[in-house]
Structure formats: C-alpha cells, structure tokens
Amino acid sequence: MNPAIPADCVLPAPARQHSVRSADGSRLHAAEYGPEGAPLVVLAHGWTCSTAFWAPVVHRLSDTHRVVAYDQRGHGRSDIPPTPRGHSTTALADDLEAVLAVVVPEGRKAVLAGHSMGGMTIMAAGDRPGVADRTAAALLVSTGPSDLVEELLVIPAGWRPQWLRRALHRQILRSRLPLGPVSGPSKAALKYATMGPATPADRVEATARIVHACPTGVRARWAAVLGELDVNAGLARLAAPTAIIVGSDDKLTPPVFAHRMVAALSSPAGLLELPGAGHMAPVERPAEVAAEIRRLVAAHLTAVPAERIEAS
C-alpha cells in the first residue's frame, strides 16, 4: 500500500492565480498564497517538478508572506514549448522576468528562491534589469551553474573509467523512457538519486508523484539543456544579496557547486549545508528552507508603507 501524502505536501487554495504570457508567447501558470500586501516571495521549481513541489515551504511561509509559485515552461499547468528553441536558459530568464512583471507591483521587491533548474533560472536572469529591479535578495537551493554531468554522483565518483561514468550520466539524464506509474522500485530509484537516505516514505511518495507527472519529452528536452548548462556569467552579475542551500548528500548538484557559487557571487549572503539531505531540500527539509527565506526577507526586504499596499 502506498503511504499517504503528508498534509503539508498538498498546496493550499491559492489567493489568486495568473496566466502570464512570456516573451515568445508561452503561457505560464502562477499562483499566489498568503495575505495581500505581506512581504513578497517568488519560488521557481526545478527540473521535472511543478508548483506542487514547493507546497511544504508555502505552508510554512504563507501565514506572514505573500508567496508566489509558478510552473516552469513545460511543467505543471504551463505551456510546453512547441520547438527546441523554446527550451533554453534564455527562455527561462524570459519567463522569470515576465512573472515578476505581473506579480511584483511597481515600487516593490521580492525575495526570489529557486530550486535546481529554478536556481539556474535566477542565475540565467542575473543580468536582466527587469529582474534585478524587483529582487531584494535571492536563495539558490540545490543547484549549480555549469558542468553538471562532470560532478554528478548518481554513479559514484570512484567508478572507472571516468569517460564511461560521464557517458552513463548523460544517458540517465536524457533518457526518453517513460517513468510509468509510481511503484516501489521507481520510488527506491528516485530516493537513491535525489533524496537523503533518512527521507520518510511519505515524502518520497509525494515527490515521486510530482516527478512522474512530468511528460517524458519535456524531461528529456530539458535534460539536454542542463547537460550543456553554463550560466556562470549570469551568476557573476547577480547584484542582490544571494544565499545558498545544499544537502550534504545531494548527488545531482553536490556541495562542490555551492562553494563555487559562493566564490563567484558579488554579494554572498550565506551558505547553509543540510546534513543528510539530498537534492530535494524543499521537501526533505522545508523548515530550514523556509527559515532561510524568512532570514533574507528580514534582512533585505524593507517594510511596505501602508499607502503603497492599498494602492497595489
């Protein structure tokens, strides 16, 4: 019998929803949670996920924050790009800029948090004035800027020869085999590759349902983009104070990336390593992720005057 999904892994009813048009015409689904006028937080999820992935963090923030989560293109309720050109880090940056233009009122700013491909989105948009002008601070969770295949630990680092290890990692990432229904073996594989060994079965179940819902073609096309990823230039141009979270057992974006990013940032705002956590920190350790977002809000997001809240 499959374990029940934890209550905090189910999104609450949104206060407001949007259909946002990006630069190439793609429609993106976005939803807002929490009190209007409260400090703004915008969440971008990772590869093969959706807004549902952020549910545990939304539950922990939406009592005192206005939290916005959006589906990356091809994921959740957002449009699937019809051509290969629609799958690029430029398109992801376009999407983030379009979402911020809709959900962050004139004169206000938000704290941005991106997990995995969501963090890469924030880095890709590092030189966008339309993003920078609306960003008070950023949090990069379980992510990296380049050389992902080189550092993957799904197949252990000691495995030889290295060229074959890299080739196998590319094959794993780009596989077009359908994941099929959520099952015991599929959950075991997902947990091994993406989550810490102590992750409870119900959180593995919740994560598996989200990942298995991603269309096979979407998964493969974005894997190809991630296999050639290089957003180092955008990372270096991120002007907002930026903090980083990584799990000590993250096999997809190991801690080596976190240390490289801290060194490259112009305004580093802290590095938090979560002992025993894997790649899915917002589901595995939502309390710590939410606490770090709250810290960035308190430190970098100024209070909104009452008259501005009423005007928005």
Side-chain angles (χ1 to χ4, degrees), residues 267-280:
S267 185
L271 168 59
L272 176 62
E273 185 167 332
L274 301 176
H279 185 66
M280 303 302 204

Side-chain angles (χ1 to χ4, degrees), residues 37-266:
L40 274 167
V41 174
V42 178
L43 307 175
H45 68 75
W47 175 54
T48 74
C49 293
S50 67
T51 55
F53 180 79
W54 283 109
V57 174
V58 171
H59 278 285
R60 286 163 173 80
L61 291 176
S62 58
D63 56 340
T64 54
H65 296 71
R66 185 71 163 190
V67 183
V68 181
Y70 73 98
D71 286 319
Q72 299 263 34
R73 56 176 52 214
H75 298 74
R77 295 167 61 182
S78 292
D79 286 350
I80 297 176
T83 66
R85 184 176 297 179
H87 298 82
S88 69
T89 54
T90 298
L92 293 177
D94 288 342
D95 294 350
L96 176 60
E97 188 168 15
V99 169
L100 294 181
V102 169
V103 304
V104 181
E106 186 71 27
R108 292 186 63 186
K109 293 189 176 187
V111 169
L112 310 187
H115 169 258
S116 192
M117 193 171 82
M120 298 161 196
T121 300
I122 293 171
M123 288 184 268
D127 60 352
R128 300 284 184 102
V131 174
D133 291 348
R134 292 175 171 84
T135 304
L139 177 63
L140 306 177
V141 184
S142 308
T143 191
S146 63
D147 302 319
L148 300 186
V149 175
E150 299 294 324
E151 302 292 350
L152 280 171
L153 296 175
V154 177
I155 298 172
W159 210 82
R160 295 289 187 271
Q162 285 294 328
W163 68 265
L164 181 56
R165 179 172 169 269
R166 288 193 294 271
L168 289 172
H169 274 143
R170 286 190 183 277
Q171 288 298 109
I172 292 170
L173 283 177
R174 297 191 182 192
S175 172
R176 286 186 172 270
L177 291 174
L179 295 180
V182 175
S183 64
S186 71
K187 285 186 288 187
L190 180 74
K191 180 179 179 180
Y192 166 76
T194 71
M195 307 182 89
T199 306
D202 56 357
R203 292 193 175 270
V204 177
E205 175 81 21
T207 304
R209 292 190 191 184
I210 293 169
V211 171
H212 280 240
C214 181
T216 300
V218 169
R219 186 182 79 236
R221 284 190 289 273
W222 281 115
V225 173
L226 299 182
E228 305 301 328
L229 180 77
D230 187 344
V231 290
N232 284 295
L235 171 64
R237 295 189 183 105
L238 267 177
T242 301
I244 294 169
I245 291 178
V246 65
S248 66
D249 289 6
D250 188 339
K251 295 183 179 70
L252 298 187
T253 52
V256 62
F257 288 118
H259 295 285
R260 290 177 188 171
M261 290 187 295
V262 168
L265 286 167
S266 62

